[in-house]
Amino acid sequence: MKFFVDTAKLDEIAKAESYGVLDGVTTNPSLMAKVGIKGRPNILKHYKAICDIVSDNVSAEVIATDYEGIIKEAHELANIDTKIVVKVPMIPDGVKAIRTLSDEGIRTNCTLIFSAGQAILAAKAGASYVSPFIGRLDDVSTDGMALIEDLVTIFENYDFETEILAASIRHPMHIIDCAKAGADVATCPLSVIEQLFNHPLTDKGLAGFLADYEASQK
Ligand code: G3P
């Protein structure tokens, strides 16, 4: 299972990378806005700065919602670095653009996936990743994890090469359940990745070992 960190903050990305378990980064316009970057040239520079921290897989999202606009922006983003994966929304023009970009060899991540039907369309168009938003489904009393399970079954049925990138992850159990279901990737806030470290028995055990060592040295 790959781990991506879902943030545009360089310090968080560097910290996630420092653990040695990071496979990529996902961003979206809201996460970029949180960092406070203004103006297109600065946004592109910021993506480059992210690419310089991680080894691969930096999802950068288009703003355009028409086919021509998506293609133009996708080329601009893909030219930043070979690590860029162009994030395209699940809309008809987005699916058309994913087909074109896939044929051109540009990797894409189809975002805002909330149903199996949407994911099938994106996979058939050649998306490298589909991003089902499990937390936002849970928010509206719909089982986000059930969508992940359905996608694993469907993609296996047809040997789709598209990877299932579970997004909108809110807590460690989302990650564990995604791993059990067979999601290819989980993209998570840094705080959720760090929550995976925690277990009170680890803390208690380590305190005991250190205390015993100290006592043995007196
Ligand atoms: O990767 C998608 C993610 O950023 C959405 O998360 O918590 O805003 O639903 P959230």
Side-chain angles (χ1 to χ4, degrees):
M1 181 187 218
K2 291 186 223 168
F3 273 5
F4 293 174
V5 66
D6 194 32
T7 181
K9 293 182 181 163
L10 298 180
D11 58 341
E12 289 189 354
I13 295 165
K15 192 169 181 207
E17 175 67 19
S18 75
Y19 293 130
V21 296
L22 193 69
D23 302 288
V25 177
T26 50
T27 64
N28 61 39
S30 304
L31 294 172
M32 292 293 281
K34 270 192 200 164
V35 182
I37 303 150
K38 302 264 186 299
R40 194 75 191 154
N42 290 327
I43 287 172
L44 300 182
K45 269 190 215 154
H46 194 77
Y47 285 134
K48 180 62 185 160
I50 294 174
C51 289
D52 288 345
I53 298 173
V54 296
S55 58
D56 194 15
N57 289 309
V58 176
S59 278
E61 189 159 341
V62 298
I63 306 301
T65 54
D66 64 294
Y67 172 81
E68 286 77 15
I70 293 171
I71 295 293
K72 183 167 175 277
E73 260 188 73
H75 288 157
E76 184 182 44
L77 293 168
N79 279 337
I80 296 172
D81 196 292
T82 54
K83 296 174 189 173
I84 292 284
V85 177
V86 179
K87 210 167 174 188
V88 178
M90 168 35 74
I91 53 176
D93 277 30
V95 171
K96 277 170 61 179
I98 287 168
R99 163 51 59 202
T100 301
L101 295 168
S102 167
D103 290 346
E104 291 175 356
I106 293 175
R107 291 181 295 169
T108 55
N109 171 359
C110 189
T111 188
L112 292 165
I113 297 281
F114 292 95
S115 75
Q118 292 177 323
I120 291 170
L121 283 172
K124 282 184 66 66
S128 314
Y129 297 99
V130 287
S131 287
F133 277 33
I134 57 180
R136 290 192 193 186
L137 280 169
D138 290 354
D139 288 344
V140 294
S141 307
T142 303
D143 187 356
M145 203 53 62
L147 176 57
I148 301 293
E149 288 163 5
D150 285 350
L151 294 188
V152 170
T153 302
I154 292 166
F155 282 24
E156 277 176 10
N157 283 349
Y158 296 100
D159 287 332
F160 284 141
E161 285 178 13
T162 304
E163 293 186 52
I164 300 164
L165 194 174
S168 186
I169 282 181
R170 304 281 172 74
H171 52 72
M173 283 315 294
H174 271 153
I175 302 179
I176 306 305
D177 288 338
C178 280
K180 283 160 73 177
D184 300 287
V185 191
T187 188
C188 327
L190 176 63
S191 58
V192 178
I193 295 176
E194 288 181 325
Q195 279 177 284
L196 293 177
F197 283 114
N198 301 336
H199 199 288
L201 290 178
T202 303
D203 298 339
K204 190 178 169 206
L206 182 59
F209 289 154
L210 295 179
D212 288 345
Y213 172 80
E214 286 304 324
S216 74
Q217 300 306 303
K218 285 178 186 157

